[in-house]
Amino acid sequence: MPRGRYSLHDPHDHTPLGEEHFQCAAGPSGWRYVSRTTAPGDPEAETGTADLTLDELGRPLRLELHASGWQVRGAALDGVTWVRTDPAGVHAQEANVPAHAFTGSSPAFLVATARLLRPALGDPAVRVRLVALTGSVLAPRTLDQAWELLDRQIHHTDSGPLTVDHYRLSDLQTGEQASVHLAGDVVLAAPGIELEDLESPPTSFD
C-alpha cells in the first residue's frame, strides 16, 4: 500500500500550491486513492481532500472531492454524473455529460486515466473525454485529451524491478503537451507535481 507525499506547484510560474499526503491500494475489484492537501508551508492547514475508487477496468466507481467548503461527488453513470454542493450546503447541482472519467489537480487522476486507457507502446495516441474539477471551487469543465505511451523502462531497485512508463498528454483544444512518468500507481514526475516522499514501493497493475 503506497503512502507518501507530493508537492504541488503552478506548472507555469512554479508558485507553491501545497502538498498532497496520500495513500492508495489495489484490490481484486479495483483501486482506491485517498489524500489530504495542505497549504504551502503549513502541513496542519488542510485545504482539501480526495477519495477516488476505480473498478477493475479503471472506471470511476466513486469520487468525492472537498475544497474551500465545496464538495463534489461523482461516478461513471451514463457517461459521468456528479453533484456539486456549495459551501453553505443550500444549493446542490447535479450534472451529467457523455465523458469517460474525471480529472483534476490531484496526481490520482493521472494514474486513473492511464489505468482507464492502457495505451500500448507503439500504438497511436488514445483520445479521451474528461470532466475536470479544478480550483478552490471545484468548477467542472469538459476537455479532450490524447494519451500516448512513449517509453517503458525497467529500473532495478533494492525492493525489486521498477517499471516506469513515460506518457505524452496532449490537450486537443489548446495543443499543449505534457510529459508524465508513472510507476504503477505512483506519479514520479508530471507538470506541477513532484514526488517528495514514498514509504513503500508502488503497486504494479497487471
Side-chain angles (χ1 to χ4, degrees), residues 10-34:
D10 188 295
H12 302 290
D13 62 13
H14 302 289
T15 300
L17 301 178
E19 293 186 330
E20 185 160 329
H21 305 257
F22 74 95
Q23 65 183 58
C24 52
S29 60
W31 179 75
R32 187 180 181 194
Y33 178 102
V34 294

Side-chain angles (χ1 to χ4, degrees), residues 125-138:
V126 182
R127 179 172 176 154
V128 62
R129 174 159 291 182
L130 303 169
V131 173
L133 301 163
T134 56
S136 59
V137 297
L138 301 176

Side-chain angles (χ1 to χ4, degrees), residues 134-150:
T134 56
S136 59
V137 297
L138 301 176
R141 179 173 67 94
T142 303
L143 55 86
D144 293 312
Q145 289 182 343
W147 280 61
E148 183 179 5
L149 180 58
L150 298 180

